[in-house]
Amino acid sequence: QVQLVESGGGSVQAGGSLTLTCRASGFTSSNYCMAWFRQTPGKEREGVATISEDGSTSVTAAVKDRVAIFQDKANHFLYLQIDSLQPEDAATYYCGAGETSVMSWRLDCLLEANYWGRGTQVTVSS
């Protein structure tokens, strides 16, 4: 069973930066993906950034200039750096992951993440 634990959330002033961490464990396949999502009350969870098994990354266009996703693959840590935080970045941020034993399948974590952490909350004060 894949387990994901997020940390690093908190209260930050607008314009500041934050790095979120996700610690993953329990992968049984080397073909997996990880991603960051966020959700605010009353809204659907939205994908922020993903990273594939081969290290390729994708960041949603709305935050592309301010967000970086990177990983310590050997130790299964995933990070999300958010710069120039804005009030609309305030949300609960979730780490998601998916894995498959089909080595030829390229996972799309935005659609195929089926493991979730409990989230870490980010608040932004103006």
Side-chain angles (χ1 to χ4, degrees):
Q1 182 83 9
V2 175
Q3 293 186 325
L4 306 169
V5 179
E6 305 95 336
S7 62
S11 181
V12 183
Q13 281 197 322
S17 298
L18 203 62
T19 298
L20 306 179
T21 300
C22 173
R23 178 172 55 87
S25 61
F27 287 117
T28 58
S29 171
S30 60
N31 189 3
Y32 64 89
C33 66
M34 297 182 72
W36 285 100
F37 299 76
R38 66 185 182 184
Q39 188 172 25
T40 54
K43 292 189 177 181
E44 290 189 0
R45 189 177 299 176
E46 64 173 355
V48 178
T50 67
I51 192 162
S52 298
E53 180 273 338
D54 63 1
S56 58
T57 63
S58 177
V59 179
T60 191
V63 296
K64 194 169 188 176
D65 293 336
R66 303 187 290 111
V67 164
I69 183 171
F70 51 101
Q71 65 179 342
D72 172 357
K73 189 173 181 179
N75 295 299
H76 294 310
F77 279 93
L78 182 71
Y79 304 95
L80 185 75
Q81 180 176 330
I82 314 172
D83 296 323
S84 301
L85 277 154
Q86 300 172 11
E88 52 265 37
D89 293 320
T92 300
Y93 284 74
Y94 295 92
C95 181
E99 65 173 349
T100 177
S101 59
V102 180
M103 301 310 294
S104 60
W105 185 259
R106 184 178 178 87
L107 287 161
D108 181 346
C109 241
L110 293 183
L111 300 175
E112 298 178 272
N114 56 353
Y115 297 104
W116 301 95
R118 299 180 72 173
T120 185
Q121 190 163 4
V122 173
T123 59
V124 182
S125 58
S126 56

